[in-house]
Amino acid sequence: MIETQMHLEAKEQIAEAMAAEQESLSNECRADASRIGRLLAPDFHEFGTSGSELGYEAAVRVASATDPEGEPIKMENLRGWLIADGIVMLKYTSEFAGRRSNRTSLWRRVASRQWQIFHHQGTPAAA
């Protein structure tokens, strides 16, 4: 019984982090600096597919330059793992502007049903 409850709690946390990741990739969210800023942890760090490194302020600036009517980022094969209570790792492949990337994100629960991404990495994917 306890194992089943733990499994359900893990699935719920993973689902919440997945929903936050999907929101963070939406053009509407990315174009809104305050909205994307709420999803990024103050200690956010990213290794981008270009090889560049971004912190919180640069990531908000780059994301908020998104055209809300522009081409969306497509996501496939999204999967997740509960690393520890309140810490979820997600993996997926994205496609944008004809480029595919393998991506990994680490999400931290900061309040009930509220998550922030604190690390992200994108690596160019084979075509």
Side-chain angles (χ1 to χ4, degrees):
M1 183 73 147
I2 292 174
E3 185 175 319
T4 302
Q5 180 64 27
M6 289 173 52
H7 180 71
L8 290 174
E9 289 173 10
K11 284 180 67 172
E12 183 177 319
Q13 288 185 50
I14 292 166
E16 289 173 359
M18 285 179 167
E21 182 82 38
Q22 290 168 326
E23 179 183 359
S24 76
L25 294 179
S26 75
N27 285 352
E28 297 81 11
C29 179
R30 294 175 67 78
D32 182 339
S34 64
R35 187 171 166 190
I36 192 70
R38 284 190 301 272
L39 289 174
L40 301 179
D43 60 342
F44 175 79
H45 179 265
E46 176 177 349
F47 290 116
T49 54
S50 67
S52 63
E53 290 187 56
L54 299 174
Y56 175 87
E57 290 179 19
V60 169
R61 187 174 55 255
V62 168
S64 63
T66 299
D67 177 359
E69 302 299 319
E71 177 185 353
I73 299 171
K74 297 176 187 151
M75 176 193 291
E76 61 184 46
N77 197 23
L78 177 62
R79 58 226 187 264
W81 296 265
L82 184 66
I83 303 300
D85 186 42
I87 304 288
V88 171
M89 179 176 70
L90 300 178
K91 293 183 182 181
Y92 60 96
T93 301
S94 69
E95 185 173 334
F96 180 72
R99 292 183 313 244
R100 293 175 52 80
S101 300
N102 293 317
R103 301 198 172 265
T104 302
S105 298
L106 292 171
W107 288 83
R108 177 188 304 133
R109 185 179 52 208
V110 294
S112 178
R113 301 189 181 275
Q114 184 179 1
W115 293 79
Q116 289 184 329
I117 186 172
F118 64 95
H119 179 76
H120 183 79
Q121 181 162 351
T123 305

